[in-house]
Amino acid sequence: MSAITPWHVILVVLAFVILFGSKKLPDAARGLGRSLRIFKSEVKEMANDGKPDAPVAEAPRELSASEVAAPAPVPTSKPEDVQKSA
């Protein structure tokens, strides 16, 4: 017998959906992914602490769907308008 069967996985996923709701799960997964990325970079930094400084080339970061689709903020008033009315 295996310790974890497909039924166990299904029950755990169902419990998470019931407890947290389907709307909060994607946000929680994104947060977990960001935390793991930060942890991974910190572990690399700890491994490189004893070594001489070497140039680190950063890979281009992929934009998320919300960053791509988000419009630029539109200012509601200009600073000149605020000074004139005061």
Side-chain angles (χ1 to χ4, degrees), residues 6 9 11 17 25 30 32-33 35 37-38 42 44 46-47 51 60 62 65-67 76 81:
V9 175
L11 288 175
V17 170
L25 285 177
R30 259 184 243 112
L32 181 63
S35 299
R37 254 184 264 127
I38 291 169
E42 292 297 325
K44 282 184 182 179
M46 286 177 51
K51 297 178 183 174
E62 291 186 29
S66 62
E67 291 174 325
T76 56
D81 295 341

Side-chain angles (χ1 to χ4, degrees), residues 1 3 43 50 58 66-67 74-75 82:
M1 288 187 97
V43 168
E58 290 187 17
S66 62
E67 291 174 325
V74 178
V82 174

Side-chain angles (χ1 to χ4, degrees), residues 1 3 5 17-18 23 33 39 41-42 51 55 60 78-79 84:
M1 288 187 97
T5 63
V17 170
I18 290 172
K23 291 183 180 182
F39 179 74
S41 67
E42 292 297 325
K51 297 178 183 174
K78 295 180 183 177
K84 289 179 185 177

